Amino acid sequence: MRARPLTPAAVVTELADRITAVTPAHRVVRVLLDGAPPADPARWAQALVDPLRVRGRAVLRASAEDFLRPASLRLEHGRTDADAFLADRLDTAALFRELLGPLDRGGSGRVLPRWWDATADRSARAAYVTPPPGSVLILDGTLLLGRGLPAELVVHLHLTPAALRRATPAERAWTLPAYERYTAAVDPQHRADVV
């Protein structure tokens, strides 16, 4: 792995250039932006929208937080179970079926950008959309890698274990073992295209 220092603005520019250079497998370039909440993957994903549009790409933003399983399933073992947070939180099947899979070669191209409203614990009732050819889908989230989600480019926002511990609020410290197991089992630094 080649590492070099960059400012946040330079990171956004470099990622936008790299995304623009990717040839989509079907019609849309799918980008996964994976990182723990203190790394703020949603902010980084949003920062890419305007630079990609300036480069002539339509952008569809989605968040894995809108593809959670119903509370009865994801919280079956309690609200602070690290194993359930890692394994039971994300509705991977819905994410593939409704958002990433239709953008595969031979897919319909028609996607649902929001599946579940976790606050109301019901369907998000979003409308299907069909991104135009040449678009970019940016999906941000946490603990995304190692689930077989198809993407043309994978970005992992790495935090050292010490930085993650410092940046995680005390009321969320129970999630730290999930991130330790994720790092050990999935090795996101080596699985991602960009770290």
Side-chain angles (χ1 to χ4, degrees):
M1 175 170 52
R2 184 179 65 136
R4 58 194 167 87
L6 293 169
T7 65
V11 170
V12 170
T13 298
E14 192 162 308
L15 284 174
D17 288 342
R18 183 139 181 198
I19 292 167
T20 304
V22 173
T23 303
H26 179 45
R27 302 173 344 168
V28 175
V29 175
R30 297 166 295 187
V31 178
L32 299 183
L33 202 79
D34 173 67
D40 207 354
R43 181 179 60 86
W44 285 99
Q46 193 58 42
L48 287 166
V49 172
D50 286 339
L52 287 167
R53 287 183 178 151
V54 166
R55 287 164 176 78
R57 296 293 188 99
V59 179
L60 175 62
R61 279 276 293 113
S63 175
E65 292 299 307
D66 293 325
F67 286 86
L68 299 184
R69 297 173 76 203
S72 62
L73 298 174
R74 75 177 184 276
L75 303 175
E76 183 177 8
H77 302 286
R79 294 187 180 276
T80 59
D81 185 284
D83 291 328
F85 181 74
L86 178 61
D88 298 335
R89 186 171 175 268
L90 187 64
D91 191 337
T92 306
L95 191 53
F96 179 80
R97 181 184 65 246
E98 301 295 341
L99 184 64
L100 299 170
L103 300 176
D104 270 337
R105 188 176 312 280
S108 69
R110 186 173 165 253
V111 300
L112 190 63
R114 294 187 69 229
W115 171 252
W116 196 255
D117 179 339
T119 304
D121 200 33
R122 65 171 174 78
S123 167
R125 298 182 179 157
Y128 281 90
V129 297
T130 304
S135 297
V136 175
L137 165 67
I138 303 175
L139 174 68
D140 70 81
T142 189
L143 307 170
L144 293 178
L145 307 184
R147 297 174 183 275
L149 299 175
E152 283 68 50
L153 186 71
V154 176
V155 178
H156 175 68
L157 302 171
H158 174 71
L159 293 174
T160 65
L164 181 58
R165 272 192 310 277
R166 282 192 309 272
T168 300
E171 65 273 9
R172 301 290 294 169
W174 63 269
T175 64
L176 293 174
Y179 289 103
E180 290 170 13
R181 285 194 285 283
Y182 177 66
T183 299
V186 175
D187 194 10
Q189 281 188 270
H190 290 97
R191 193 176 291 254
D193 301 304
V194 178
V195 178

